[in-house]
Amino acid sequence: MSKLKLHSLPLSLLALLGVALVGVSASASASPPAGEKIPSPSSAAADSEVELICHTSNPADCYPKIFQPTHEFQIVHPDQDLPPGLHVRLNIYTGQKEAKINVPDEAVDPSLEGLPVDTSIMIVDPEDSTGSEEQQSQQPLKPPKNAPAYEPHGKIKEPKKETAEAKDEASAFYKSLTILKKGLDIDQALEMLQEISHDIYYGLKIAEDYDTVRELFCLANSPSIFSSSPEAPEAGPSEKDLIRARLAALIISNTVQNNPKALAEISKHWSTLQQEHCTKSKDSEPLQISTFRLLPPSLPSSQGNLSIPPSLTKARIFAISGLLKSPSIRQSFLSANGMDLLLQVLLDTTAASQGQGAAKEWEKVRRQAGHLILDNFLDEDMGAVLGEWPDAVRDVQASDKECASRAASRGDGEKKEGQGDCWDWHAKQLADRYKKEGKGGNGHWSWELWSKLKEQRKIASSNKKNKGGKKDEL
């Protein structure tokens, strides 16, 4: 292509430049500024010469530098100057810009009726002349002065109270918070909070109030759910305590599920909350332990073997899984031997003596416990943070022979406490058992648990060797 040239030629050559275009397009028009006249063919004819742009030596390829509008749409070349006040459109078939004299009362093309009109505005930042493009791309953008604080999860707005139902719901919510903190009719308050805690605004309000959070944690992890009445030790915990614990666990789960702000608020409370004792008993565990204990501790044979409803254990597992998305709570969980407590759930066989229905429900509990481990520690696709568990130094494993010997020396009904150094062996046995029963194999949660645990164990061992080699070099 030859170099751009500007020529002054007689207007008669403009007759060679007309190109007819027919096409359906989206148009936008604007009125000319007051007092400004739109150029027209008659006014253009008054000029003896028009400045043209020619990219080739062929005069037929030339066109005016200033666009000359008519009452028909013509192509607007990229280097042409457009007078103000024209009807400009983009031909959707050719992708070319076209313009003509604007007629305000002109009828709209019937084929364009009903099409959406885009009124968006695109702001282009001015180019910074300092530094290279690569250096500029690496520089972080600075927010403007007086800009509001950045909130990665967006602002959570209070639900509108436009209806009587919405107003009653808000009133009942705040009333329930007060009742719960004062220990009044907590059963009704728990039911109300369980229903509304799914809402991210009300979930955040629950999480922001320390006293409410403490009460919920103490109810969900109450020592009473693992104890029995002295008069009737075989009866186990009371039905009321179990129902309250389940509702409180569901409220905690609902509050933190898909609500990062609420989880962040509970994380702020955690350093104080984990040290709380919910009873004045000398033997009571702090919340750092009781929050993660899912099964009753082993009891003397004279007291029988207490069990709790699978629905409560499942609700508490849901709550723990949501809480483990917080790094600080996740570290507390590992420090409290939380993985050993989860292993007890996977290996517990006491449900077999409670009938077929209970056995099926506890099977669901085991699956939920397995998914908790996968989602938070082993499966990166599910949001797990890899490298925290297993740990090659902290979680040293016993030999398969030693683990098999321990398992043989325990009764089937005994709790599998203190089995953390046999985690891998038990996971393999669990996967093999399900496969042998025709339930497991590739795709089953037990097989996924064992496969990903084995994979992460190899990575942890490799990292340990690499660190040891670097120390030897030093």
Side-chain angles (χ1 to χ4, degrees), residues 51 56 75 87 135 137 146 178 199-200 259 281 327 334 344 373 399 401 446 448 465:
E51 189 175 16
T56 67
I75 296 175
H87 184 167
Q135 291 174 338
S137 63
N146 302 322
T178 303
D199 185 279
I200 59 174
N259 197 342
S281 172
L334 294 173
Q344 294 177 30
I373 300 167
S399 66
K401 184 178 180 180
S446 63
E448 291 296 316
K465 291 180 181 178

Side-chain angles (χ1 to χ4, degrees), residues 3 53 85 125 209 280 294 327 347 465:
K3 186 176 179 182
I53 296 177
D125 294 330
D209 192 322
K280 296 180 180 180
L294 293 166
L347 303 181
K465 291 180 181 178

Side-chain angles (χ1 to χ4, degrees), residues 80-226:
Q80 273 188 303
D81 296 333
L82 273 177
L86 300 182
H87 184 167
V88 183
R89 74 179 186 184
L90 181 68
N91 191 312
I92 62 174
Y93 297 107
T94 64
Q96 293 178 310
K97 184 191 296 185
E98 301 172 352
K100 73 179 189 68
I101 296 173
N102 182 42
V103 180
D105 298 330
E106 185 178 22
V108 179
D109 188 339
S111 63
L112 302 180
E113 290 183 357
L115 292 179
V117 179
D118 188 2
T119 57
S120 302
I121 299 176
M122 181 176 65
I123 301 176
V124 181
D125 294 330
E127 294 183 0
D128 187 359
S129 58
T130 59
S132 64
E133 291 184 5
E134 183 177 354
Q135 291 174 338
Q136 292 176 34
S137 63
Q138 295 175 353
Q139 294 177 356
L141 296 176
K142 295 181 179 180
K145 293 181 179 179
N146 302 322
Y150 173 66
E151 298 184 18
H153 305 296
K155 184 177 181 180
I156 298 178
K157 298 181 180 180
E158 181 178 4
K160 295 181 180 180
K161 303 183 183 69
E162 297 178 347
T163 63
E165 183 180 357
K167 292 179 181 178
D168 292 343
E169 186 179 64
S171 176
F173 169 75
Y174 289 106
K175 183 179 179 181
S176 297
L177 290 184
T178 303
I179 291 174
L180 183 64
K181 288 185 286 186
K182 291 185 177 181
L184 302 175
D185 184 12
I186 63 174
D187 297 303
Q188 186 175 358
L190 287 172
E191 289 179 3
M192 195 282 163
L193 293 177
Q194 193 269 326
E195 292 177 1
I196 203 172
S197 54
H198 290 280
D199 185 279
I200 59 174
Y201 175 80
Y202 292 117
L204 177 59
K205 290 303 171 185
I206 291 173
E208 288 176 343
D209 192 322
Y210 178 83
D211 292 335
T212 300
V213 172
R214 181 192 181 279
E215 190 65 24
L216 289 172
F217 269 75
C218 284
L219 287 171
N221 310 297
S222 171
S224 63
I225 64 177
F226 295 138

Side-chain angles (χ1 to χ4, degrees), residues 334 387-398 420-421 424 453-468:
L334 294 173
E388 294 185 342
W389 184 86
D391 184 276
V393 176
R394 181 177 56 197
D395 304 312
V396 178
Q397 296 294 287
D421 59 347
D424 294 23
L453 174 58
K454 181 170 59 174
E455 178 184 338
Q456 290 304 311
R457 182 71 70 182
K458 289 181 179 179
I459 295 175
S461 299
S462 176
N463 292 339
K464 180 183 177 182
K465 291 180 181 178
N466 293 336
K467 289 181 180 178

